[in-house]
Amino acid sequence: YILACQKGSGPACARASAMLRNGDAGFTNPELAGEMAERGCNALRDQDSCAGMAAGMASSGGQGTQSAEIADRACASGSADGCRLQADRLFADTDRDAQAYAFGLYRDACDKGQAWGCLGQYQAFTQGRGVTASTSQAAAAAQRGCTQARGDRLHLCAIHGDRLSRSGTAETVRLGENFLVTACRGGGPASCYRLGELGLTRPAGARSTQGEAIYYLRRACDFDFAGGCRALGQAYVRATEVERDTAVAVALADKACRLGDSAGCADAQRLIAADPGVRMRIPAIDPAAPAANQIALARAAVERGGSGAQAGLDAVVRLMHEWHQDAEW
């Protein structure tokens, strides 16, 4: 895309800029992203590139008025990205007319099959900004965006899957679970947590097992989703698919607490009150750290040998019991 941009393709400039800005290339480079967008906009008159230039300005925290003007012009010239930026800015405004205008942009984009427009509609109907709040209309926007739109549908499918999983009928619970699996694999922590709930409670239609529930809760916790850490800690207290270990439970509850979860703080306090010395038994390789970090530390400990090798083996075995595929390998 960079080469195509240099050779005169405006759309390639826009794509290269977006990839460099949002990390799709495996890394970010805001400076080069700005150069690509500026070339596409100023030299090649590509409106999506202009929208990218406005996005870069906005993310850097400066030139707010100028970036808004560029995005608005890009939208008026037919750039979907420009309209998305304009809609998001107006939706955040406290003025009701601005919010209503933003809703119109979201609605038009969703009607054209653009996922960001359906997500905006969902947020508008949920919050009652720019339109009368409506749970049913919000759900319809999420379903439409997930199943019919183009673009980044991950958040929409997470929302849609969560709603279906709570419907009560076996068929819709199973369908919702499928959407949640995709969203969890795509990096949606709330979806991982919901799958954990389904595996533990096993409502009619759910296919996730209790063992898979532990795996999903670990994944949610690794994404810094406080509820996932707390629920995983509770599994260690109840010995659900893992060996009972209150020290590991305290470490996980502590993490949930650090992430702002008051219930996690209460869990840690309750466990410590029942066993004042429990913190002294928390494993040397922190069981609340992301699994990938634990495995790396465990391997290094085993390769070093000596007294620390057992801590490495213990960490890997513990993650195996959580069904973590890399630990099993």
Side-chain angles (χ1 to χ4, degrees):
Y1 285 123
I2 290 173
L3 182 60
C5 176
Q6 292 168 344
K7 289 183 177 292
S9 169
C13 296
R15 185 72 185 112
S17 176
M19 292 177 70
L20 290 164
R21 191 170 59 252
N22 61 27
D24 284 350
F27 60 92
T28 58
N29 188 330
E31 183 178 355
L32 184 56
E35 291 175 8
M36 294 292 101
E38 185 174 1
R39 171 169 170 72
C41 180
N42 295 335
L44 303 174
R45 304 302 183 202
D46 177 73
Q47 294 305 313
D48 283 338
S49 294
C50 294
M53 190 164 70
M57 290 179 178
S59 63
S60 66
Q63 299 175 298
T65 302
Q66 185 180 0
S67 67
E69 291 175 351
I70 294 172
D72 292 354
R73 285 198 301 269
C75 178
S77 299
S79 166
D81 282 344
C83 291
R84 176 179 57 80
L85 291 170
Q86 183 184 40
D88 289 347
R89 187 185 75 254
L90 293 174
F91 186 69
D93 200 305
T94 56
D95 182 71
R96 289 187 175 274
D97 290 338
Q99 294 171 6
Y101 191 84
F103 176 79
L105 291 171
Y106 289 140
R107 180 193 58 225
D108 293 346
C110 188
D111 288 346
K112 293 175 182 176
Q114 295 168 353
W116 66 265
C118 300
L119 180 59
Q121 272 196 309
Y122 167 81
Q123 293 171 332
F125 280 123
T126 299
Q127 301 174 26
R129 295 173 68 89
V131 69
T132 302
S134 170
T135 302
S136 61
Q137 293 276 37
Q143 178 180 6
R144 185 179 183 185
C146 174
T147 60
Q148 300 176 32
R150 303 178 304 276
D152 185 358
R153 299 177 295 163
L154 181 66
H155 191 189
L156 288 160
C157 287
I159 295 166
H160 183 49
D162 183 81
R163 185 183 67 83
L164 290 175
S165 75
R166 301 177 190 277
S167 66
T169 67
E171 183 179 357
T172 52
V173 167
R174 186 176 300 117
L175 181 60
E177 191 177 35
N178 291 339
F179 282 115
L180 290 169
V181 168
T182 300
C184 177
R185 288 176 178 169
S191 296
C192 299
Y193 175 69
R194 179 58 184 154
L195 285 167
E197 287 185 322
L198 291 172
L200 292 175
T201 58
R202 300 304 307 278
R207 292 176 174 172
S208 295
T209 66
Q210 285 199 328
E212 289 169 327
I214 301 303
Y215 166 80
Y216 287 126
L217 292 176
R218 160 58 64 186
R219 192 165 173 82
C221 184
D222 284 0
F223 284 133
D224 286 344
F225 190 84
C229 301
R230 171 167 43 84
L232 183 57
Q234 291 170 347
Y236 274 96
V237 173
R238 296 190 300 264
T240 305
E241 294 292 327
V242 292
E243 294 182 8
R244 177 179 168 80
D245 193 325
T246 54
V248 172
V250 167
L252 290 162
D254 281 343
K255 181 174 180 179
C257 183
R258 291 195 300 271
L259 291 170
D261 183 53
S262 58
C265 301
D267 282 357
Q269 292 170 359
R270 185 164 53 251
L271 290 169
I272 293 167
D275 183 359
V278 68
R279 283 196 193 279
M280 300 297 294
R281 301 197 304 274
I282 292 176
I285 295 177
D286 184 6
N293 294 11
Q294 292 188 55
I295 292 170
L297 291 171
R299 180 170 182 170
V302 171
E303 289 177 347
R304 283 195 305 270
S307 59
Q310 188 60 48
L313 293 172
D314 290 345
V316 171
V317 170
R318 186 171 58 250
L319 288 170
M320 287 172 62
H321 290 170
E322 292 181 7
W323 288 40
H324 197 280
Q325 66 273 27
D326 291 341
E328 291 180 346
W329 174 254

